[in-house]
Amino acid sequence: MMTKDGMNYAPKGKPNPVVEKGAFQFAAAALDHGHIYGMCNGLVEAGATLKWVYDPDPEKVAQFVKAFPNVLPAESLEQILADQSVMLIAAAAIPSKRSELGIQVMNAGKDYFTDKTPFTTIEQLEETKQVVEQTGQKYMVYYSERLHVEGAVFAGELIENGAIGRVIQVTGFGPHRLNASSRPEWFFKKEQYGGILCDIGSHQIEQFLYYAGCSDAKVLHSKIGNYHNNEYSELDDYGDATLLGDNGATNYFRVDWFTPDGLSTWGDGRTFIIGTEGTIEIRKYVDIAREKNGNHVYLVNQDGEQHFNVSGKVGFPFFGKLILDCMNRTETAMSQAHAFKAAELCLRAQEQAIFISEQRSVSEIK
């Protein structure tokens, strides 16, 4: 699937149900970000039954019903929360409202699956941790750049099978196309979207923790800037950060809103992984000037140089595992600690970032 806009990135895979029809029912709410479609696609393909949808905007609901014709429009969020057959609510609210909605969902006795970034403040994170502990419910996060990219899934399998030894460094590039005219108003308000390192940077930090096997990390340095979008004074159009994991692995990543119009997709996302016995490169969405499809994985180790095009060959196991985790109260898809740690570190990176712009000189930054 090729799209010019990352906000509407919603991969479709092959149906691979882990439960019988009707055994796991869920609902969708807060349709503020297009990722809700990818979240629901993944769950439905894994066998979940999408029962309800709710959003205060009837146009958003009507568009959603076109994509999922069997879903029932709810009159209110309360109607969904009161339905005891619904085990999980998937939502893509405005980022600053995601934790508030999640707390409401968990207090109603349901698991919550939110788009990234799951929080915009440390205070939200700490409050949510308390509610998770009190309720025993799940607060899962759609870190789509790893969970919903077959090349990224396959790279994880290679690492798990020892293809490159112990991971010691991860470098991530997450460029996105801005498409400013199609973005909602909240996208340009720092208090609502959280900042670039908090937002799309969350993908990069989550991948580092996962591939390198870190349970914690320290943000050594981070910076943000607005280089070319002064009409949106609160927009970070560039950000990068360096992290050190608790096991000694290191990470550098860069995210931006500068994808050129000539690129066939919304961003040339890549991940480079160095291990003690080999290297991996993931070209996630495109192999520029060669092939317009993504999911290219390049492996170099003692066996030589290998290229894998894994589109349609790996699938998206996270969603089936999440369904079974909700039913069995296990943590095979993603641990709660991992989801929260990735969120915390992107908040820390954003919080301590140096701001740079074309107007500031090197002397001012120092």
Side-chain angles (χ1 to χ4, degrees), residues 214-235:
C214 302
S215 58
D216 199 358
K218 180 183 293 186
V219 179
L220 300 181
H221 179 78
S222 58
K223 51 187 180 290
I224 56 175
N226 184 321
Y227 283 95
H228 196 59
N229 292 278
N230 291 332
E231 66 272 35
Y232 305 110
S233 60
E234 295 185 43
L235 176 71

Side-chain angles (χ1 to χ4, degrees), residues 6-165:
M7 191 165 183
N8 294 312
Y9 178 71
K12 288 187 177 181
K14 298 176 182 177
N16 186 23
V18 298
V19 291
E20 294 182 1
K21 186 176 181 180
F24 183 87
Q25 299 190 66
F26 77 105
L31 312 180
D32 294 286
H33 197 292
H35 281 172
I36 189 65
Y37 290 87
M39 297 162 71
C40 292
N41 283 343
L43 288 168
V44 169
E45 289 163 5
T49 300
L50 177 55
K51 185 174 183 180
W52 298 105
V53 61
Y54 174 72
D55 190 277
D57 184 343
E59 291 186 11
K60 288 190 176 78
V61 172
Q63 183 179 353
F64 188 85
V65 171
K66 288 182 181 179
F68 300 96
N70 295 323
V71 72
L72 300 172
E75 295 181 2
S76 65
L77 178 64
E78 287 68 28
Q79 184 179 6
I80 296 173
L81 295 177
D83 186 342
Q84 294 186 5
S85 70
V86 172
M87 298 184 68
L88 175 142
I89 293 181
I94 294 171
S96 60
K97 296 181 178 180
R98 287 171 183 169
S99 64
E100 178 184 348
L101 175 57
I103 288 170
Q104 192 175 358
V105 168
M106 292 187 294
N107 281 331
K110 304 183 189 306
D111 293 322
Y112 182 61
F113 182 35
T114 179
D115 187 19
K116 63 77 211 157
T117 183
F119 311 103
T120 54
T121 69
I122 290 292
E123 290 74 22
Q124 291 173 356
L125 169 62
E126 294 304 322
E127 182 184 13
T128 300
K129 282 182 176 180
Q130 293 178 5
V131 177
V132 166
E133 186 174 347
Q134 292 164 2
T135 64
Q137 300 301 142
K138 295 182 182 295
Y139 192 104
M140 283 292 100
V141 185
Y142 181 58
Y143 294 113
S144 58
E145 291 191 22
R146 181 177 67 83
L147 304 176
H148 227 164
V149 175
E150 286 183 288
V153 174
F154 184 64
E157 293 175 356
L158 289 175
I159 292 168
E160 186 176 350
N161 291 329
I164 61 170

Side-chain angles (χ1 to χ4, degrees), residues 184-254:
E185 186 178 349
W186 60 260
F187 178 85
F188 300 99
K189 294 184 177 180
K190 186 71 70 76
E191 185 179 350
Q192 291 184 291
Y193 81 91
I196 194 169
L197 299 179
C198 180
D199 181 22
I200 54 178
S202 63
H203 291 296
Q204 303 297 325
I205 291 176
E206 190 277 333
Q207 288 175 100
F208 164 57
L209 295 177
Y210 177 78
Y211 289 137
C214 302
S215 58
D216 199 358
K218 180 183 293 186
V219 179
L220 300 181
H221 179 78
S222 58
K223 51 187 180 290
I224 56 175
N226 184 321
Y227 283 95
H228 196 59
N229 292 278
N230 291 332
E231 66 272 35
Y232 305 110
S233 60
E234 295 185 43
L235 176 71
D236 302 334
D237 59 20
Y238 175 88
D240 65 34
T242 303
L243 285 79
L244 174 63
D246 57 356
N247 60 3
T250 67
N251 173 233
Y252 168 81
F253 73 86
R254 179 260 295 167

Side-chain angles (χ1 to χ4, degrees), residues 270-300:
R270 301 196 187 196
T271 304
F272 299 84
I273 307 167
I274 301 174
T276 54
E277 298 174 24
T279 62
I280 292 172
E281 179 189 350
I282 314 165
R283 302 183 187 178
K284 294 181 179 178
Y285 312 111
V286 65
D287 196 357
I288 56 169
R290 288 164 49 94
E291 295 185 32
K292 290 188 177 181
N293 69 303
N295 295 302
H296 295 272
V297 179
Y298 293 86
L299 169 67
V300 182

Side-chain angles (χ1 to χ4, degrees), residues 321-343:
K321 290 180 179 180
L322 176 58
I323 290 170
L324 295 176
D325 282 345
C326 292
M327 297 179 74
N328 301 326
R329 312 318 294 170
T330 50
E331 287 193 326
T332 61
M334 179 186 297
S335 72
Q336 189 63 76
H338 176 86
F340 281 158
K341 182 56 65 173

